[in-house]
mmCIF file of all heavy atoms in Angstrom:
data_model
loop_
_atom_site.group_PDB
_atom_site.id
_atom_site.type_symbol
_atom_site.label_atom_id
_atom_site.label_comp_id
_atom_site.label_asym_id
_atom_site.label_seq_id
_atom_site.Cartn_x
_atom_site.Cartn_y
_atom_site.Cartn_z
ATOM 1 N N ASN A 26 -6.658 4.522 13.168
ATOM 2 C CA ASN A 26 -8.035 5.056 13.279
ATOM 3 C C ASN A 26 -8.849 4.342 12.149
ATOM 4 O O ASN A 26 -8.511 4.544 11.029
ATOM 5 C CB ASN A 26 -8.082 6.591 13.162
ATOM 6 C CG ASN A 26 -9.451 7.204 13.369
ATOM 7 O OD1 ASN A 26 -10.483 6.465 13.227
ATOM 8 N ND2 ASN A 26 -9.510 8.382 13.890
ATOM 9 N N ASP A 27 -9.872 3.682 12.500
ATOM 10 C CA ASP A 27 -10.728 3.020 11.527
ATOM 11 C C ASP A 27 -11.305 3.885 10.561
ATOM 12 O O ASP A 27 -11.512 3.435 9.405
ATOM 13 C CB ASP A 27 -11.762 2.216 12.279
ATOM 14 C CG ASP A 27 -11.220 0.938 12.968
ATOM 15 O OD1 ASP A 27 -10.178 0.468 12.697
ATOM 16 O OD2 ASP A 27 -11.932 0.474 13.917
ATOM 17 N N ARG A 28 -11.641 5.165 10.893
ATOM 18 C CA ARG A 28 -12.123 6.145 9.982
ATOM 19 C C ARG A 28 -11.178 6.353 8.752
ATOM 20 O O ARG A 28 -11.665 6.511 7.603
ATOM 21 C CB ARG A 28 -12.489 7.477 10.638
ATOM 22 C CG ARG A 28 -13.748 7.334 11.502
ATOM 23 C CD ARG A 28 -14.043 8.759 11.957
ATOM 24 N NE ARG A 28 -12.890 9.532 12.315
ATOM 25 C CZ ARG A 28 -12.728 10.325 13.353
ATOM 26 N NH1 ARG A 28 -13.675 10.490 14.058
ATOM 27 N NH2 ARG A 28 -11.565 10.865 13.627
ATOM 28 N N GLU A 29 -9.853 6.319 9.069
ATOM 29 C CA GLU A 29 -8.931 6.564 7.986
ATOM 30 C C GLU A 29 -8.977 5.418 6.833
ATOM 31 O O GLU A 29 -8.714 5.595 5.841
ATOM 32 C CB GLU A 29 -7.513 6.683 8.538
ATOM 33 C CG GLU A 29 -7.298 7.819 9.459
ATOM 34 C CD GLU A 29 -7.569 9.159 8.776
ATOM 35 O OE1 GLU A 29 -7.257 9.300 7.670
ATOM 36 O OE2 GLU A 29 -8.135 10.096 9.519
ATOM 37 N N LEU A 30 -9.307 4.232 7.375
ATOM 38 C CA LEU A 30 -9.346 3.062 6.480
ATOM 39 C C LEU A 30 -10.574 3.090 5.616
ATOM 40 O O LEU A 30 -10.706 2.309 4.655
ATOM 41 C CB LEU A 30 -9.344 1.741 7.257
ATOM 42 C CG LEU A 30 -8.145 1.524 8.194
ATOM 43 C CD1 LEU A 30 -8.332 0.247 8.906
ATOM 44 C CD2 LEU A 30 -6.922 1.500 7.324
ATOM 45 N N GLN A 31 -11.470 4.122 5.795
ATOM 46 C CA GLN A 31 -12.631 4.271 4.896
ATOM 47 C C GLN A 31 -12.322 5.223 3.641
ATOM 48 O O GLN A 31 -13.090 5.366 2.779
ATOM 49 C CB GLN A 31 -13.767 4.807 5.663
ATOM 50 C CG GLN A 31 -14.259 3.810 6.718
ATOM 51 C CD GLN A 31 -14.564 2.406 6.189
ATOM 52 O OE1 GLN A 31 -15.196 2.270 5.143
ATOM 53 N NE2 GLN A 31 -13.944 1.385 6.864
ATOM 54 N N ARG A 32 -11.171 5.790 3.729
ATOM 55 C CA ARG A 32 -10.725 6.593 2.527
ATOM 56 C C ARG A 32 -10.704 5.753 1.217
ATOM 57 O O ARG A 32 -10.381 4.589 1.260
ATOM 58 C CB ARG A 32 -9.456 7.284 2.762
ATOM 59 C CG ARG A 32 -9.255 8.272 3.888
ATOM 60 C CD ARG A 32 -7.948 8.920 3.910
ATOM 61 N NE ARG A 32 -7.779 9.875 4.984
ATOM 62 C CZ ARG A 32 -6.740 10.658 5.053
ATOM 63 N NH1 ARG A 32 -5.687 10.519 4.291
ATOM 64 N NH2 ARG A 32 -6.721 11.515 5.951
ATOM 65 N N SER A 33 -10.951 6.428 0.088
ATOM 66 C CA SER A 33 -11.055 5.654 -1.118
ATOM 67 C C SER A 33 -9.720 5.010 -1.506
ATOM 68 O O SER A 33 -9.623 3.909 -1.958
ATOM 69 C CB SER A 33 -11.359 6.542 -2.254
ATOM 70 O OG SER A 33 -10.511 7.599 -2.455
ATOM 71 N N THR A 34 -8.589 5.627 -1.132
ATOM 72 C CA THR A 34 -7.244 5.077 -1.426
ATOM 73 C C THR A 34 -7.087 3.706 -0.571
ATOM 74 O O THR A 34 -6.560 2.745 -1.183
ATOM 75 C CB THR A 34 -6.164 5.992 -1.216
ATOM 76 O OG1 THR A 34 -6.200 6.592 0.094
ATOM 77 C CG2 THR A 34 -6.109 7.082 -2.198
ATOM 78 N N TYR A 35 -7.373 3.756 0.633
ATOM 79 C CA TYR A 35 -7.164 2.615 1.561
ATOM 80 C C TYR A 35 -8.100 1.475 1.157
ATOM 81 O O TYR A 35 -7.773 0.277 1.146
ATOM 82 C CB TYR A 35 -7.317 2.972 3.053
ATOM 83 C CG TYR A 35 -6.116 3.819 3.533
ATOM 84 C CD1 TYR A 35 -6.339 5.102 3.746
ATOM 85 C CD2 TYR A 35 -4.896 3.231 3.808
ATOM 86 C CE1 TYR A 35 -5.343 5.931 4.230
ATOM 87 C CE2 TYR A 35 -3.904 3.980 4.276
ATOM 88 C CZ TYR A 35 -4.096 5.323 4.393
ATOM 89 O OH TYR A 35 -3.018 6.168 4.890
ATOM 90 N N LYS A 36 -9.311 1.929 0.885
ATOM 91 C CA LYS A 36 -10.364 0.835 0.493
ATOM 92 C C LYS A 36 -9.824 0.147 -0.791
ATOM 93 O O LYS A 36 -10.032 -1.052 -0.883
ATOM 94 C CB LYS A 36 -11.732 1.502 0.321
ATOM 95 C CG LYS A 36 -12.350 1.784 1.725
ATOM 96 C CD LYS A 36 -13.644 2.592 1.556
ATOM 97 C CE LYS A 36 -14.737 1.655 1.329
ATOM 98 N NZ LYS A 36 -16.084 2.336 1.457
ATOM 99 N N ALA A 37 -9.423 0.978 -1.711
ATOM 100 C CA ALA A 37 -9.093 0.469 -3.007
ATOM 101 C C ALA A 37 -7.795 -0.471 -2.887
ATOM 102 O O ALA A 37 -7.665 -1.550 -3.467
ATOM 103 C CB ALA A 37 -8.784 1.448 -4.037
ATOM 104 N N PHE A 38 -6.866 -0.035 -2.048
ATOM 105 C CA PHE A 38 -5.684 -0.858 -1.698
ATOM 106 C C PHE A 38 -6.052 -2.218 -1.024
ATOM 107 O O PHE A 38 -5.572 -3.267 -1.479
ATOM 108 C CB PHE A 38 -4.701 -0.155 -0.865
ATOM 109 C CG PHE A 38 -3.550 -0.962 -0.423
ATOM 110 C CD1 PHE A 38 -2.555 -1.404 -1.349
ATOM 111 C CD2 PHE A 38 -3.506 -1.503 0.855
ATOM 112 C CE1 PHE A 38 -1.464 -2.180 -1.003
ATOM 113 C CE2 PHE A 38 -2.390 -2.315 1.292
ATOM 114 C CZ PHE A 38 -1.398 -2.539 0.312
ATOM 115 N N MET A 39 -6.970 -2.108 -0.109
ATOM 116 C CA MET A 39 -7.225 -3.353 0.596
ATOM 117 C C MET A 39 -8.070 -4.323 -0.224
ATOM 118 O O MET A 39 -7.815 -5.523 -0.107
ATOM 119 C CB MET A 39 -8.002 -3.028 1.841
ATOM 120 C CG MET A 39 -7.222 -2.355 2.982
ATOM 121 S SD MET A 39 -7.976 -2.202 4.568
ATOM 122 C CE MET A 39 -9.129 -0.820 4.091
ATOM 123 N N ALA A 40 -8.757 -3.816 -1.266
ATOM 124 C CA ALA A 40 -9.362 -4.725 -2.238
ATOM 125 C C ALA A 40 -8.327 -5.527 -3.067
ATOM 126 O O ALA A 40 -8.685 -6.616 -3.607
ATOM 127 C CB ALA A 40 -10.286 -3.951 -3.158
ATOM 128 N N LEU A 41 -7.142 -5.072 -3.177
ATOM 129 C CA LEU A 41 -6.042 -5.694 -3.912
ATOM 130 C C LEU A 41 -5.489 -6.827 -3.225
ATOM 131 O O LEU A 41 -4.801 -7.735 -3.832
ATOM 132 C CB LEU A 41 -4.969 -4.670 -4.360
ATOM 133 C CG LEU A 41 -5.238 -3.508 -5.228
ATOM 134 C CD1 LEU A 41 -4.155 -2.578 -5.405
ATOM 135 C CD2 LEU A 41 -5.855 -4.034 -6.552
ATOM 136 N N LEU A 42 -5.493 -6.814 -1.860
ATOM 137 C CA LEU A 42 -4.747 -7.762 -1.060
ATOM 138 C C LEU A 42 -5.006 -9.273 -1.333
ATOM 139 O O LEU A 42 -4.160 -10.130 -1.135
ATOM 140 C CB LEU A 42 -4.856 -7.530 0.445
ATOM 141 C CG LEU A 42 -4.364 -6.034 0.791
ATOM 142 C CD1 LEU A 42 -4.543 -5.727 2.213
ATOM 143 C CD2 LEU A 42 -2.837 -5.877 0.418
ATOM 144 N N ASP A 43 -6.154 -9.632 -1.717
ATOM 145 C CA ASP A 43 -6.508 -10.981 -2.053
ATOM 146 C C ASP A 43 -6.189 -11.395 -3.534
ATOM 147 O O ASP A 43 -6.584 -12.496 -3.898
ATOM 148 C CB ASP A 43 -7.937 -11.339 -1.633
ATOM 149 C CG ASP A 43 -8.937 -10.568 -2.354
ATOM 150 O OD1 ASP A 43 -8.606 -9.703 -3.257
ATOM 151 O OD2 ASP A 43 -10.105 -11.026 -2.302
ATOM 152 N N ASN A 44 -5.582 -10.502 -4.297
ATOM 153 C CA ASN A 44 -5.449 -10.815 -5.699
ATOM 154 C C ASN A 44 -4.168 -11.512 -6.053
ATOM 155 O O ASN A 44 -3.876 -11.913 -7.097
ATOM 156 C CB ASN A 44 -5.466 -9.350 -6.502
ATOM 157 C CG ASN A 44 -6.772 -8.748 -6.593
ATOM 158 O OD1 ASN A 44 -7.811 -9.288 -5.986
ATOM 159 N ND2 ASN A 44 -6.856 -7.572 -7.119
ATOM 160 N N TYR A 45 -3.321 -11.771 -5.052
ATOM 161 C CA TYR A 45 -2.032 -12.323 -5.375
ATOM 162 C C TYR A 45 -1.684 -13.578 -4.553
ATOM 163 O O TYR A 45 -2.113 -13.617 -3.424
ATOM 164 C CB TYR A 45 -0.971 -11.250 -5.049
ATOM 165 C CG TYR A 45 -1.160 -9.918 -5.816
ATOM 166 C CD1 TYR A 45 -1.845 -8.947 -5.229
ATOM 167 C CD2 TYR A 45 -0.983 -9.853 -7.222
ATOM 168 C CE1 TYR A 45 -2.183 -7.818 -5.931
ATOM 169 C CE2 TYR A 45 -1.202 -8.711 -7.896
ATOM 170 C CZ TYR A 45 -1.914 -7.595 -7.309
ATOM 171 O OH TYR A 45 -2.219 -6.549 -8.030
ATOM 172 N N SER A 46 -0.932 -14.471 -5.040
ATOM 173 C CA SER A 46 -0.499 -15.618 -4.344
ATOM 174 C C SER A 46 0.911 -15.321 -3.766
ATOM 175 O O SER A 46 1.767 -14.825 -4.512
ATOM 176 C CB SER A 46 -0.438 -16.767 -5.293
ATOM 177 O OG SER A 46 0.162 -17.923 -4.666
ATOM 178 N N ALA A 47 1.065 -15.790 -2.565
ATOM 179 C CA ALA A 47 2.364 -15.662 -1.932
ATOM 180 C C ALA A 47 3.364 -16.833 -2.295
ATOM 181 O O ALA A 47 4.486 -16.734 -1.889
ATOM 182 C CB ALA A 47 2.206 -15.569 -0.419
ATOM 183 N N GLN A 48 2.806 -17.785 -3.008
ATOM 184 C CA GLN A 48 3.580 -18.932 -3.290
ATOM 185 C C GLN A 48 4.586 -18.687 -4.384
ATOM 186 O O GLN A 48 4.064 -18.298 -5.534
ATOM 187 C CB GLN A 48 2.671 -20.123 -3.645
ATOM 188 C CG GLN A 48 1.864 -20.568 -2.524
ATOM 189 C CD GLN A 48 2.585 -20.961 -1.278
ATOM 190 O OE1 GLN A 48 3.654 -21.687 -1.373
ATOM 191 N NE2 GLN A 48 2.143 -20.586 -0.050
ATOM 192 N N VAL A 49 5.864 -18.863 -4.215
ATOM 193 C CA VAL A 49 6.846 -18.678 -5.331
ATOM 194 C C VAL A 49 6.601 -19.639 -6.429
ATOM 195 O O VAL A 49 6.450 -20.855 -6.101
ATOM 196 C CB VAL A 49 8.202 -18.734 -4.798
ATOM 197 C CG1 VAL A 49 9.335 -18.636 -5.883
ATOM 198 C CG2 VAL A 49 8.439 -17.566 -3.707
ATOM 199 N N GLY A 50 6.585 -19.318 -7.696
ATOM 200 C CA GLY A 50 6.505 -20.253 -8.765
ATOM 201 C C GLY A 50 5.138 -20.658 -9.084
ATOM 202 O O GLY A 50 4.951 -21.446 -9.984
ATOM 203 N N GLU A 51 4.074 -20.132 -8.337
ATOM 204 C CA GLU A 51 2.783 -20.498 -8.575
ATOM 205 C C GLU A 51 2.154 -19.574 -9.575
ATOM 206 O O GLU A 51 2.189 -18.333 -9.362
ATOM 207 C CB GLU A 51 1.938 -20.542 -7.339
ATOM 208 C CG GLU A 51 0.521 -20.892 -7.378
ATOM 209 C CD GLU A 51 -0.183 -20.836 -6.113
ATOM 210 O OE1 GLU A 51 0.218 -21.700 -5.289
ATOM 211 O OE2 GLU A 51 -1.154 -20.021 -6.019
ATOM 212 N N GLY A 52 1.708 -20.038 -10.670
ATOM 213 C CA GLY A 52 1.027 -19.172 -11.689
ATOM 214 C C GLY A 52 -0.219 -18.483 -11.263
ATOM 215 O O GLY A 52 -0.912 -19.119 -10.351
ATOM 216 N N GLU A 53 -0.487 -17.398 -11.817
ATOM 217 C CA GLU A 53 -1.722 -16.649 -11.400
ATOM 218 C C GLU A 53 -2.498 -16.247 -12.649
ATOM 219 O O GLU A 53 -1.945 -15.921 -13.672
ATOM 220 C CB GLU A 53 -1.451 -15.404 -10.551
ATOM 221 C CG GLU A 53 -0.740 -15.691 -9.248
ATOM 222 C CD GLU A 53 -0.536 -14.459 -8.482
ATOM 223 O OE1 GLU A 53 -1.389 -13.492 -8.474
ATOM 224 O OE2 GLU A 53 0.428 -14.248 -7.805
ATOM 225 N N SER A 54 -3.778 -16.329 -12.570
ATOM 226 C CA SER A 54 -4.589 -15.781 -13.694
ATOM 227 C C SER A 54 -5.294 -14.449 -13.063
ATOM 228 O O SER A 54 -5.804 -14.512 -12.003
ATOM 229 C CB SER A 54 -5.584 -16.798 -14.211
ATOM 230 O OG SER A 54 -6.437 -17.148 -13.109
ATOM 231 N N VAL A 55 -5.301 -13.475 -13.876
ATOM 232 C CA VAL A 55 -5.906 -12.176 -13.447
ATOM 233 C C VAL A 55 -7.347 -12.110 -14.039
ATOM 234 O O VAL A 55 -7.453 -12.154 -15.256
ATOM 235 C CB VAL A 55 -5.059 -10.984 -13.814
ATOM 236 C CG1 VAL A 55 -5.649 -9.699 -13.409
ATOM 237 C CG2 VAL A 55 -3.611 -11.147 -13.316
ATOM 238 N N THR A 56 -8.299 -11.966 -13.238
ATOM 239 C CA THR A 56 -9.664 -11.852 -13.531
ATOM 240 C C THR A 56 -10.010 -10.458 -14.004
ATOM 241 O O THR A 56 -9.277 -9.448 -13.675
ATOM 242 C CB THR A 56 -10.617 -12.279 -12.485
ATOM 243 O OG1 THR A 56 -10.619 -11.332 -11.426
ATOM 244 C CG2 THR A 56 -10.257 -13.712 -12.006
#
Side-chain angles (χ1 to χ4, degrees):
N26 185 331
D27 289 337
R28 286 187 319 221
E29 298 300 325
L30 299 177
Q31 297 308 309
R32 290 182 178 190
S33 62
T34 50
Y35 289 102
K36 288 173 83 171
F38 173 74
M39 289 187 288
L41 298 176
L42 296 178
D43 65 351
N44 292 359
Y45 307 99
S46 171
Q48 299 300 317
V49 175
E51 182 177 298
E53 297 184 37
S54 58
V55 181
T56 66

